Each structure stands twice: as C-alpha cells, then as structure tokens.
Amino acid sequence: MMCFPDFPYPDDFPNFMHNRKLQEYITAFCKEKNLLKYIQFKTLVSGINKRPDFSITSQWDVTTERNGKKESAIFDAVLICSGHHVYPHLPKESFPGLKLFKGKCFHSREYKEPGIFKGKRVLVLGLGNSGCDIATELSHTAEQVMISSRSGSWVMSRVWDEGYPWDMLFITRFETFLKNNLPTAISDWWYMKQMNARFKHENYGLMPLNRTLRKEPVFNDELPACILCGIVSVKPNVREFTETSAIFEDGTVFEGIDCVIFATGYSYDYPFIDESIIKNKNNEVTLFKGIFPPKLEKPTMAVIGFVQSLGATIPTVDLQARWAVRVIKGTCTLPSVTDMMDDIDKKRGKKLKWFGTSETVQTDYITYMDELASFIGAKPHIPWLFLTDPKLAVEVFFGPCSPYQFRLVGPGKWPGARNAILTQWDRTLKPMKTRGVGKPQKPCLLCRWVRLFVLPVMFIAVFFALI
C-alpha cells in the first residue's frame, strides 16, 4: 500500500488494517483522487518456472492468481522476499490429549489484543519473542498466565550496560572478534556471563537446556518482573492435556484453562518453485550465502530475507539486494557450483556448532554482513582505517556496527557515512534528553574493555610478585 499525505486514515486504523474492508476503503479513496494506477493489492504467486529457452534468455514464467483469475508474465529476474516467517507452525500432534481440550486453541499470529482475555486463565506454549510479549501483555488483564517451554531461552534487556541500547554495545566488531577467536571454553563463559548480566536465569526457570548455543535470545524487559511478581509463571513442556487442564512434565497441573496460545513459530516452504531449483533439506533451504540457488544455470533468481541474526533485518536485506542486483546485472560473478556447495556444507557445520539443529537460518550478523559486502567491495578495511583515520577506526571497530559502515567504500558509497558514524551516539541520546541534566554522556568505547582486562592482569601481576 502506498502512503498519501491526505489519506483519511480511520480512527481505529491499527485494528482496521486487519479488516477485509480496508481494500474497498483504499480503492474508493484512490478512485476519487484518480490514483488507482498507483496501487496493487495482494496477488498470489502460484508458479515460477524457467522459460523453455532459459539457458539462453535466463527468463522466468511467473503465474499469478487474483480474484480467481490466473495470469502469466515473463520476467528477466525474480527476487523472492517472503522471508522465513511464512506459515504458522501449529504442532498439535506433539501434545497428547489436545483433541479433548474444550477451551480455545490458536496460533500467536491470530492474537490481536488482550482485552478479550480479562479474567481468563491462559497457557502460552513457547518461550520466544512472541510468546513472551503476549504473556507479559496478558498478565495485566488475565487471571493467570503460564508459559510452557520445552528448552528455555536467554532473555535479554533492550537496555544494556549503563543504560545504553543493547545492540549498540553488544553488536560490535570487537565483540565478534573475541567470540570467534577466543578458546571455546572462554568464549562460552563470556557469552553466558553476558546473558546472565541482568539476572540469573536458573532462578527464574528460564535457563536454556543447551546454554552455550548462540540461539536467538528473547528481548523482553518486562518478563523477569512479571515472574518476580507472580503474574506470569514458567513451566516445563506439557506432557498431556485433559478437557480443562494441562499436565506438565514435572507432574504439576494447570487447572481451568480457558485458552491455549501456540507461540511455536513458523515454517517455510516454496510451493511455487520446482524443488530442483530451491531444495529444502532437513528443514534447511540450500542457498549460497542464504541468497542464490547454487545449481541454477543462470543466476537470475535470488532469495532475500531468508536469514536471521541479532542484527537489524533492514540493513541485512539491503546488503543482500545490493549484491543480488549486481549478480543479476552481470557486474558481479558467483563462484563455481562446486565452491558454492562446499561453502554451504562448511557453513552448515558451523551453524550446528553455534546455533544447534533447530536454528537453520541463524547466522552471525557481522560475519555475514562482511561476507556480503566483500562481494561488492563495500567492506570497510579496518587496518587501513587505523592508519589513515584512527578516530573513525575506533568507532568502526569498537563501536556499533551500524549500516553506515557499508556505505564508506564501494558501490553505493555515501559521502556522509563518516560523519554519520562519528555522530551516531549524539542522535541516539538526543531523544532521551527531554529534561536537560548536564551534557549527554556518550560511552567510552575503550574503557569498558580496559576495565575487563585490568583485573586479570592485576591478579597475574600479584601472583608473580608473590613467587
């Protein structure tokens, strides 16, 4: 949907967005303003197939359906941008007795607002971001809320050390360097220390079963307080359901349940493409760098947004698209099929080590972004920066890995990128200075790491002094 300055948004527009009448409402407005040619509503893609002469033209036949009518069109290239949160995953078969349950049961995708749950007893299955957000919101209206988790999760605060945004301190090149180069035992210890910095997960029943895996953490500032106050309880996996209750694996029972909400995530599939083009193996789609089908004769198809990391999504898909367009245009070339398949197998092994078998689309943000940027010449050269622009180098290496870093050099270079990096903390802190109390206190990027290493050095010095 396009956004027009004088569009008469309804008073209840956030809820109205889910109403089927929205299309009629927008159509009437655009017809009045003679703007119908600028809008197009949802069209189902039912098939994407190679043209008979694909080996020569690299073109695709795309079949679409709208209002029951099928249409076909020829395209020079296709970008698939449906992501991996496509089909709600509802594993009812994994819970014995659920068919006997008489209360309501639905996926978190259908959850809209908490008002209708006032005075209800609600069980949320899943300890991901959606499950925790729903549970904490319902805790203010429902009579009782319980979260059932099979494997636990790390729960992080958006507010990190000294009150600064977590991602601006956590997602840095120096952090990534330490994580990837320290011995595994030290790296795992440091990772768990960071995850437990706010509270001990064991005390709140949240500790992951495999605590050293770098699976995506949950971001929720309210959940620990809700558990502490008793308005949200955390339970293990459900062993079985009865007509009105859930029996957990530890033998405890949640009686009188009115509603079960499945916050069990999503699955993905590409039913409109032949499996020989994009193959799904063990719940993992085989794609080079998560973008290109490796065995395609001509690289005129790319998948955008089919990765998940701690970094922001928009900069990730932006860099994916920048590379994909250059490959399609022919200004960048892909490695051989053998090299691409070897890279896919190598990355699969690393993912199993770092993220586990269930996190097949998970990837390390900075490492992945640097890989993509290298293909188009947009990766910043850190050693060279330290030699030529030390002030900028410190911000780039020790500071937030913001998207400006991939606009310093290469195609799409932006002259304002350097200044944007050097002033990013000013813009971050300005909205919070609605009550002026002194000057904004920007973090010292080197001080926190100096403090970290000073204590071990002191212990070593004392040890040798006493020998």
Side-chain angles (χ1 to χ4, degrees):
M1 190 189 90
M2 298 187 70
C3 183
F4 306 108
D6 56 345
F7 182 76
Y9 292 98
D11 293 336
D12 61 341
F13 187 71
N15 294 326
F16 196 60
M17 282 293 290
H18 302 289
N19 197 311
R20 292 180 180 274
K21 293 184 178 180
L22 179 61
Q23 180 172 330
E24 299 174 10
Y25 186 83
I26 298 175
T27 302
F29 168 79
C30 292
K31 186 176 182 180
E32 179 185 344
K33 301 290 185 179
N34 194 28
L35 295 169
L36 280 177
K37 60 182 177 180
Y38 294 111
I39 67 168
Q40 182 177 358
F41 293 103
K42 182 179 178 181
T43 300
L44 175 68
V45 176
S46 57
I48 300 177
N49 299 287
K50 298 177 184 176
R51 295 276 294 161
D53 56 353
F54 180 82
S55 60
I56 300 173
T57 64
S58 310
Q59 292 179 325
W60 300 87
D61 277 323
V62 178
T63 305
T64 58
E65 293 183 27
R66 184 180 174 191
N67 298 326
K69 296 181 180 179
K70 286 190 175 183
E71 295 182 359
S72 183
I74 299 173
F75 291 90
D76 295 318
V78 175
L79 298 182
I80 302 173
C81 308
S82 54
H84 54 90
H85 292 150
V86 184
Y87 304 105
H89 180 52
L90 206 63
K92 293 184 176 181
E93 68 283 351
S94 300
F95 298 95
L98 189 60
K99 292 182 179 180
L100 303 174
F101 180 65
K102 292 184 177 181
K104 292 183 178 180
C105 180
F106 59 88
H107 192 270
S108 58
R109 187 174 185 173
E110 300 177 47
Y111 175 86
K112 304 303 178 186
E113 55 89 23
I116 60 175
F117 296 91
K118 185 175 182 179
K120 304 293 185 181
R121 296 170 64 82
V122 183
L123 174 62
V124 179
L125 299 178
L127 193 61
N129 283 291
S130 295
C132 292
D133 286 346
I134 291 172
T136 53
E137 186 173 71
L138 288 179
S139 67
H140 302 292
T141 55
E143 177 186 325
Q144 178 64 53
V145 179
M146 283 195 180
I147 300 176
S148 171
S149 174
R150 181 182 56 186
S151 58
S153 290
W154 295 114
V155 179
M156 290 176 62
S157 172
R158 296 176 179 87
V159 183
W160 206 242
D161 294 349
E162 299 179 348
Y164 296 113
W166 77 270
D167 53 343
M168 295 187 75
L169 295 180
F170 192 85
I171 305 178
T172 70
R173 291 183 177 277
F174 185 59
E175 283 266 3
T176 301
F177 173 79
L178 290 179
K179 182 188 70 174
N180 293 337
N181 292 280
L182 286 174
T184 302
I186 298 176
S187 177
D188 289 345
W189 169 82
W190 175 237
Y191 176 74
M192 291 179 58
K193 179 177 174 60
Q194 289 178 304
M195 294 298 103
N196 274 319
R198 185 182 173 201
F199 64 92
K200 296 293 183 182
H201 282 65
E202 298 97 326
N203 297 342
Y204 286 72
L206 298 170
M207 176 64 77
L209 291 181
N210 194 331
R211 57 194 70 185
T212 59
L213 287 182
R214 269 62 163 178
K215 60 181 291 188
E216 184 187 22
V218 171
F219 292 91
N220 195 295
D221 293 274
E222 195 177 356
L223 181 61
C226 290
I227 296 173
L228 199 62
C229 297
I231 54 179
V232 172
S233 300
V234 181
K235 290 289 185 177
N237 195 37
V238 175
R239 188 172 67 201
E240 64 176 311
F241 281 94
T242 67
E243 292 183 352
T244 59
S245 63
I247 304 173
F248 301 103
E249 290 181 345
D250 61 358
T252 58
V253 182
F254 185 21
E255 299 279 3
I257 302 176
D258 296 296
C259 182
V260 175
I261 301 177
F262 278 79
T264 43
Y266 295 80
S267 59
Y268 45 83
D269 196 9
Y270 297 98
F272 45 81
I273 301 177
D274 189 88
E275 194 178 88
S276 63
I277 300 173
I278 297 182
K279 187 175 182 180
N280 192 330
K281 179 183 178 181
N282 297 327
N283 199 36
E284 181 174 4
V285 176
T286 303
L287 296 169
F288 178 58
K289 303 302 181 184
I291 301 175
F292 292 102
K295 297 184 179 181
L296 200 60
E297 307 98 290
K298 302 284 185 177
T300 55
M301 173 178 283
V303 179
I304 305 298
F306 193 70
V307 294
Q308 181 172 319
S309 69
L310 276 182
T313 301
I314 293 177
T316 305
V317 298
D318 171 69
L319 205 48
Q320 286 182 324
R322 288 167 66 187
W323 180 35
V325 168
R326 283 168 176 77
V327 171
I328 291 170
K329 288 173 62 179
T331 55
C332 283
T333 57
L334 295 178
S336 66
V337 174
T338 301
D339 289 343
M340 286 193 286
M341 291 303 298
D342 288 344
D343 182 83
I344 291 170
D345 292 336
K346 182 180 178 181
K347 290 294 190 298
R348 184 179 290 121
K350 285 188 176 180
K351 285 182 179 181
L352 291 175
K353 175 184 176 182
W354 284 98
F355 308 112
T357 56
S358 63
E359 304 295 326
T360 55
V361 297
Q362 191 81 17
T363 189
D364 180 86
Y365 177 70
I366 294 179
T367 302
Y368 182 69
M369 294 288 277
D370 278 348
E371 285 182 344
L372 300 187
S374 296
F375 286 110
I376 62 174
K379 178 185 175 183
H381 195 286
I382 307 300
W384 180 249
L385 276 181
F386 272 105
L387 291 173
T388 59
D389 195 341
K391 183 178 181 181
L392 177 63
V394 169
E395 287 286 343
V396 169
F397 189 66
F398 293 98
C401 185
S402 51
Y404 307 122
Q405 294 191 11
F406 304 102
R407 295 289 179 177
L408 288 168
V409 295
K413 176 182 176 181
W414 178 45
R418 180 184 186 276
N419 183 64
I421 292 172
L422 295 178
T423 58
Q424 57 192 349
W425 279 104
D426 298 321
R427 293 190 303 281
T428 299
L429 298 174
K430 186 175 181 178
M432 295 182 283
K433 299 298 292 183
T434 53
R435 174 178 172 260
V437 185
K439 295 181 180 180
Q441 299 295 310
K442 293 185 285 186
C444 176
L445 301 178
L446 296 176
C447 291
R448 59 194 301 261
W449 294 111
V450 170
R451 290 197 302 267
L452 175 65
F453 292 109
V454 162
L455 192 59
V457 170
M458 288 179 61
F459 274 118
I460 293 172
V462 171
F463 174 77
F464 281 107
L466 295 175
I467 293 178

